Amino acid sequence: MTHQSPLKSPPSSAILTPVRGTTTYAAGLYLSRVTQRRPLAGFEAVFLALYAHETTSRGGQAISVTLPDLSNPSVYHESNSPVRNNATELNIAVISPSLEPHGTVRSTKRARIVGVALELYYSKILNMPVGSKLDFCEFCEAWAGQDGGVHREGGERKAIEGGREGSAGGAVRDRVVEGGRVPLPWELLQPCLRILGHCLMGVDKNKNKALYEKACGACRCLYARALHDINPKAILAAGSLLKLIKLEAEADNFDPTEIPDTCVISL
């Protein structure tokens, strides 16, 4: 299904500011219902407006970061290898490719258009309400369509009875479970993982434990989905978030005042 956008010019930032807070909820409902071939012109008009705004803001440029060339010797260590003239050369990594204008939402461009909307949400994520992040974590679990309980620390599977019905945001999942599993190409999965990374390491994790736990569950489900799809890039990215969760758990369990059970004294 396609929808022709009635907008002739991108909306202003003042108009889109309140829309960003509901982007995750709209994306969750839209992607979960798109497989049911329902009329979704209203959702598509919103995503096209966000996409047009971001296309104009970028001016045809891609979002990239510069990385140092790790093959060069470190300035903090001695090295016997000769120093090359291009020691300061940087490698450019593209986070989000340049955008092309689109007036319709086609099936081949749907993931890209929704992904750009999530990228726009991530750019203002510090100002986004915690409720929208909780909803997003719930939607990620539903989109994955995989049980992430097997990837909990210690290999313990979360009980189905308590996991799906006793969760604080279970009502959201109940509303989208009919849509369930959705395709997760990289242009859609990457911004999802970036948002989840903020939920795991951002300023809200210490203030809202429910958000941290929901983000952990979503990461496990997406990792299980990546393994199921045999997607190396997704496995590496989602697996990195699981390692962060493990390191955080180990740090919480560390007690510097506890006397170790050993006879060896380390000086």
Side-chain angles (χ1 to χ4, degrees):
M1 176 181 294
T2 62
H3 171 71
Q4 186 68 34
S5 174
L7 298 173
K8 295 183 180 180
S9 60
S12 63
S13 300
I15 298 177
L16 292 178
T17 298
V19 177
R20 292 192 186 102
T22 59
T23 298
T24 54
Y25 191 77
L29 294 179
Y30 174 67
L31 293 178
S32 300
R33 296 178 180 180
V34 72
T35 57
Q36 303 172 13
R37 302 186 181 278
R38 295 182 180 180
L40 300 171
F43 287 100
E44 293 176 351
V46 172
F47 289 119
L48 285 172
L50 294 173
Y51 184 87
H53 169 78
E54 189 68 4
T55 302
T56 304
S57 300
R58 295 188 187 182
Q61 301 295 323
I63 298 179
S64 60
V65 294
T66 54
L67 303 175
D69 188 355
L70 299 181
S71 63
N72 293 315
S74 172
V75 297
Y76 301 103
H77 299 82
E78 294 182 359
S79 176
N80 296 327
S81 61
V83 179
R84 295 178 296 178
N85 294 331
N86 59 346
T88 59
E89 182 180 356
L90 299 176
N91 297 326
I92 298 178
V94 177
I95 299 178
S96 179
S98 58
L99 303 178
E100 299 178 356
H102 293 295
T104 60
V105 179
R106 300 184 181 276
S107 58
T108 56
K109 302 297 182 181
R110 180 179 294 115
R112 180 61 175 151
I113 293 175
V114 177
V116 168
L118 294 178
E119 291 176 2
L120 186 59
Y121 173 88
Y122 178 79
S123 66
K124 304 294 183 181
I125 196 169
L126 291 177
N127 301 324
M128 295 297 106
V130 176
S132 66
K133 302 173 187 178
L134 286 169
D135 289 343
F136 180 76
C137 294
E138 292 285 342
F139 283 124
C140 285
E141 293 185 27
W143 294 341
Q146 299 289 136
D147 183 12
V150 294
H151 301 291
R152 292 178 65 86
E153 183 64 22
E156 298 180 358
R157 180 184 292 272
K158 191 177 183 180
I160 297 178
E161 295 81 3
R164 292 189 177 275
E165 298 180 2
S167 60
V172 177
R173 187 189 292 110
D174 293 340
R175 289 195 294 268
V176 301
V177 71
E178 55 182 351
R181 179 190 181 100
V182 300
L184 292 175
W186 182 246
E187 55 262 29
L188 177 61
L189 181 60
Q190 184 193 37
C192 291
L193 294 176
R194 293 174 69 187
I195 295 174
L196 291 177
H198 167 83
C199 296
L200 292 174
M201 307 299 295
V203 295
D204 293 326
K205 73 165 188 174
N206 295 325
K207 300 179 182 179
N208 196 314
K209 293 297 182 182
L211 176 61
Y212 180 81
E213 292 298 328
K214 286 297 178 183
C216 291
C219 290
R220 296 186 186 103
C221 291
L222 290 177
Y223 181 71
R225 170 66 179 273
L227 291 177
H228 180 272
D229 295 345
I230 316 180
N231 188 337
K233 186 182 293 187
I235 292 174
L236 179 61
S240 298
L241 292 181
L242 292 185
K243 289 182 180 179
L244 289 177
I245 296 173
K246 182 179 179 180
L247 291 175
E248 184 73 15
E250 292 175 353
D252 292 340
N253 295 331
F254 175 72
D255 186 2
T257 62
E258 183 178 357
I259 300 177
D261 297 333
T262 179
C263 298
V264 179
I265 300 177
S266 300
L267 299 178

